[in-house]
């Protein structure tokens, strides 16, 4: 066996891969997500179509196993059955013993068993491996037995598999009820070249090997060319090539050997496939940086020697900012003028200022004849004097603020009558 020759613990490929052994590529992940969404309904139907060998059974098994629920799986193999045979097969798989005779009693026993599973939280899935080979009558009978409205239970989910003719096959009038229960339709395409390489690496890793070390660099590309991306065909070619390489002692397995085995055993022609190895770029060794030396003055290029075709960068429009208004520094020292109080000076000969507060006019200038009499002290407040001989009260005239010197000229100060009211003071 080739496993020992290439240090493998087991065969890289399994007929019924489950769980983590299944390669989950982008297509598989997308299909699994669709299954999880569609099969949430108790009696949903999902169809999976594709050419033979693309891994429909493996993908469906992996998708159903991904449901985190308790489940019971019923598999319908590739065989045609009568209506009574379908009912009997479901009873046996679901564990009904000593089922009664007669179609009606068997049908009642089946629905009662499905109700028991439903009450226990167990989902029932019916997987039909090849719907086209099973036939219309068998599928119609399965639909009638698993429909939600066919009994006391909520029914069971159905997964139908078939080749690319499945969509047309489902249009049969006898399958109208089944067609109406379909929630999603999936088509499984062959693997692309990168997906096939990932699939082969995954399979050899499970067998404790390395596909890239066992086969040369052109083998995977040739395998995709020969198989068209169908995993089952690629598996057969790889195993045949490993067996031939182990018998001939060839390490690693070359693309030429793969092409010969495919032609001899599977009648697959490589055609015009390019067997030339891909040229790998030569490794670039980084050299030590050279010391920078200033060039001689005569070798320094002059500015005029630059090419005339060198485009000069387009000058951007100059942005001219408006000058800020100048602020007279002399205004910084300007403060709000405070009122100035000017007092009269006896010796001043200039014109008397307009702002005068509580000051007496200069009598020497305005009224020389009155200046000879002794003026009253400026600080004393007006006092009232009383003549004891006459009993009259004389009020001294207070000092007044006059607007002009003409108002100060008077012949004499009138005397006040004893009981007469004082004359009004000039304003």
């Amino acid at each position: 066996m080739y496993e020992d020759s290439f240090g493998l613990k087991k065969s890289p490929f399994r007929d019924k891969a489950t769980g983590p052994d299944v390669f989950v590529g982008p297509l598989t992940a997308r299909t699994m997500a669709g299954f999880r969404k569609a099969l949430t309904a108790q009696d949903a139907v999902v169809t999976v179509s594709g050419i033979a060998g693309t891994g429909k059974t493996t993908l469906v098994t992996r998708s159903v196993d991904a449901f985190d629920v308790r489940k019971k799986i019923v598999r319908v193999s590739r065989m045609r059955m009568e209506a009574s045979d379908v009912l009997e097969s479901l009873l046996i798989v679901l564990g009904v013993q000593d089922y009664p005779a007669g179609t009606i009693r068997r049908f009642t026993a089946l629905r009662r068993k499905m109700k028991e599973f439903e009450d226990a939280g167990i989902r029932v899935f019916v997987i039909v491996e090849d719907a086209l080979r099973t036939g219309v009558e068998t599928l119609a009978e399965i639909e009638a037995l698993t429909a939600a409205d066919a009994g006391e239970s909520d029914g069971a989910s159905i997964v139908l598999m078939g080749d690319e003719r499945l969509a047309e096959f489902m249009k049969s009038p006898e399958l109208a009820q089944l067609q109406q229960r379909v929630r999603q339709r999936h088509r499984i395409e062959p693997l692309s070249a990168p997906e096939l390489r990932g699939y082969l690496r995954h399979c050899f890793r499970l067998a404790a090997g390395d596909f890239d070390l066992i086969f040369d660099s052109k083998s995977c590309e040739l395998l995709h060319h020969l198989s068209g991306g169908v995993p089952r065909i690629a598996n057969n070619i790889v195993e045949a090539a490993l067996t031939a390489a182990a018998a001939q002692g060839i390490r690693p397995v070359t693309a030429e050997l793969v092409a010969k085995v495919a032609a001899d055993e599977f009648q697959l022609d490589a055609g015009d496939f390019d067997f030339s190895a891909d040229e790998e770029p030569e490794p670039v060794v980084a050299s030590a940086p050279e010391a920078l030396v200033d060039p001689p003055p005569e070798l320094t290029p002059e500015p005029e020697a630059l090419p005339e075709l060198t485009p000069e960068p387009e000058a951007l429009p100059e942005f001219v900012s408006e000058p800020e208004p100048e602020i007279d520094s002399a205004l910084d020292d300007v403060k709000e003028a405070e009122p100035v109080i000017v007092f009269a000076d006896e010796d001043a000969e200039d014109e008397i200022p307009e702002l005068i507060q509580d000051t007496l006019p200069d009598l020497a200038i305005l009224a020389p004849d009155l200046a000879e009499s002794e003026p009253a002290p400026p600080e004393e407040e007006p006092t009232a004097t009383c003549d004891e001989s006459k009993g009259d009260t004389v009020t001294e005239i207070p000092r007044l603020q006059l607007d002009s010197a003409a108002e100060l000229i008077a012949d004499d100060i009138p005397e006040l009558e004893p009981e007469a009211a004082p004359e009004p003071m000039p304003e």
Side-chain angles (χ1 to χ4, degrees):
M1 297 294 292
Y2 64 82
E3 290 88 353
D4 296 337
S5 299
F6 292 96
L8 302 177
K9 294 184 178 181
K10 59 180 181 179
S11 172
F13 311 109
R14 298 177 57 186
D15 294 335
K16 295 181 180 180
T18 59
D21 292 345
V22 178
F23 170 71
V24 181
L27 179 61
T28 305
R30 186 165 56 252
T31 304
M32 291 174 58
F35 264 79
R36 182 170 302 180
K37 179 180 179 181
L39 295 180
T40 53
Q42 188 76 13
D43 65 340
V45 175
V46 176
T47 64
V48 181
S49 63
I51 63 176
T54 52
K56 295 185 296 295
T57 301
T58 301
L59 188 147
V60 169
T61 302
R62 180 70 176 87
S63 301
V64 174
D65 290 343
F67 275 85
D68 191 16
V69 295
R70 300 174 61 189
K71 46 189 169 292
K72 181 68 175 180
I73 299 177
V74 179
R75 295 185 179 275
V76 179
S77 59
R78 299 179 179 90
M79 60 180 299
R80 295 180 181 272
M81 295 183 290
E82 301 293 336
S84 58
D85 295 336
V86 174
L87 181 55
E88 182 179 355
S89 175
L90 293 178
L91 289 172
I92 294 174
V93 175
L94 294 179
V96 178
Q97 299 177 356
D98 299 330
Y99 45 86
T103 302
I104 297 178
R105 292 183 179 180
R106 289 182 177 182
F107 175 76
T108 303
L110 175 64
R111 301 299 298 197
R112 186 182 300 115
K113 186 64 175 180
M114 293 176 64
K115 179 60 176 176
E116 293 178 3
F117 281 120
E118 183 179 333
D119 294 340
I122 301 175
R123 291 281 304 275
V124 177
F125 294 91
V126 180
I127 299 177
V128 181
E129 299 286 345
D130 192 342
L132 280 77
R133 184 173 179 80
T134 302
V136 174
E137 292 183 4
T138 302
L139 295 180
E141 189 68 19
I142 292 175
E143 191 280 325
L145 296 174
T146 59
D149 56 356
E152 53 184 332
S153 71
D154 290 337
S157 298
I158 302 176
V159 180
L160 302 177
M161 290 183 286
D163 57 23
E164 57 273 12
R165 300 172 296 168
L166 180 60
E168 190 67 24
F169 173 78
M170 291 290 294
K171 296 179 181 180
S172 175
E174 292 83 352
L175 300 178
Q177 297 287 345
L178 186 64
Q179 179 81 351
Q180 293 174 1
R181 288 173 55 183
V182 175
R183 297 296 181 92
Q184 279 191 354
R185 296 173 174 83
H186 295 276
R187 178 175 176 80
I188 308 303
E189 301 291 343
L191 300 178
S192 63
E195 288 177 333
L196 181 62
R197 180 179 295 274
Y199 165 74
L200 294 174
R201 287 175 175 175
H202 172 78
C203 294
F204 274 80
R205 192 180 302 114
L206 295 177
D210 191 338
F211 174 82
D212 295 329
L213 296 179
I214 296 176
F215 286 81
D216 65 6
S217 59
K218 298 292 292 187
S219 295
C220 184
E221 184 180 351
L222 176 61
L223 285 170
H224 186 268
H225 176 78
L226 295 171
S227 65
V230 178
R232 184 181 299 170
I233 298 177
N235 296 349
N236 296 335
I237 298 175
V238 167
E239 288 191 322
L242 288 173
T243 302
Q248 301 177 27
I250 299 176
R251 304 290 187 281
V253 181
T254 62
E256 289 78 8
L257 178 61
V258 173
K260 184 176 185 305
V261 170
D264 294 343
E265 300 187 20
F266 304 101
Q267 291 73 46
L268 296 175
D269 186 10
D272 56 353
F273 181 79
D274 185 10
F275 289 92
S276 60
D278 297 333
E279 296 182 0
E280 299 182 358
E282 297 181 359
V284 178
V285 180
S287 59
E290 299 179 358
L292 298 178
V293 179
D294 294 336
E298 62 275 9
L299 297 181
T300 303
E302 298 293 337
E304 292 76 11
L306 295 176
E308 296 180 359
L309 297 180
T310 303
E312 297 182 357
E314 184 179 355
L316 297 177
E318 183 178 359
F319 176 77
V320 180
S321 59
E322 297 182 359
E324 298 182 357
E326 298 182 358
I327 301 176
D328 192 355
S329 59
L331 297 179
D332 298 338
D333 300 330
V334 176
K335 299 182 179 179
E336 184 178 359
E338 299 180 356
V340 180
I341 302 175
V342 181
F343 297 93
D345 190 0
E346 295 181 356
D347 299 330
E349 296 181 357
D350 299 334
E351 186 180 357
I352 300 176
E354 294 181 0
L355 298 177
I356 302 175
Q357 292 184 350
D358 297 335
T359 58
L360 291 176
D362 193 349
L363 298 181
I365 298 174
L366 299 177
D369 53 347
L370 296 178
E372 296 177 358
S373 60
E374 184 179 355
E379 301 296 332
E380 295 181 0
E381 297 181 356
T383 56
T385 59
C386 179
D387 189 352
E388 295 180 357
S389 60
K390 298 182 179 181
D392 297 334
T393 301
V394 180
T395 302
E396 186 178 352
I397 299 176
R399 291 170 293 177
L400 301 176
Q401 178 179 346
L402 302 177
D403 294 336
S404 64
E407 295 178 359
L408 297 178
I409 303 174
D411 296 335
D412 54 0
I413 299 174
E415 294 183 1
L416 299 177
E417 296 295 331
E419 296 181 355
E423 296 179 1
M425 300 296 295
E427 296 179 353

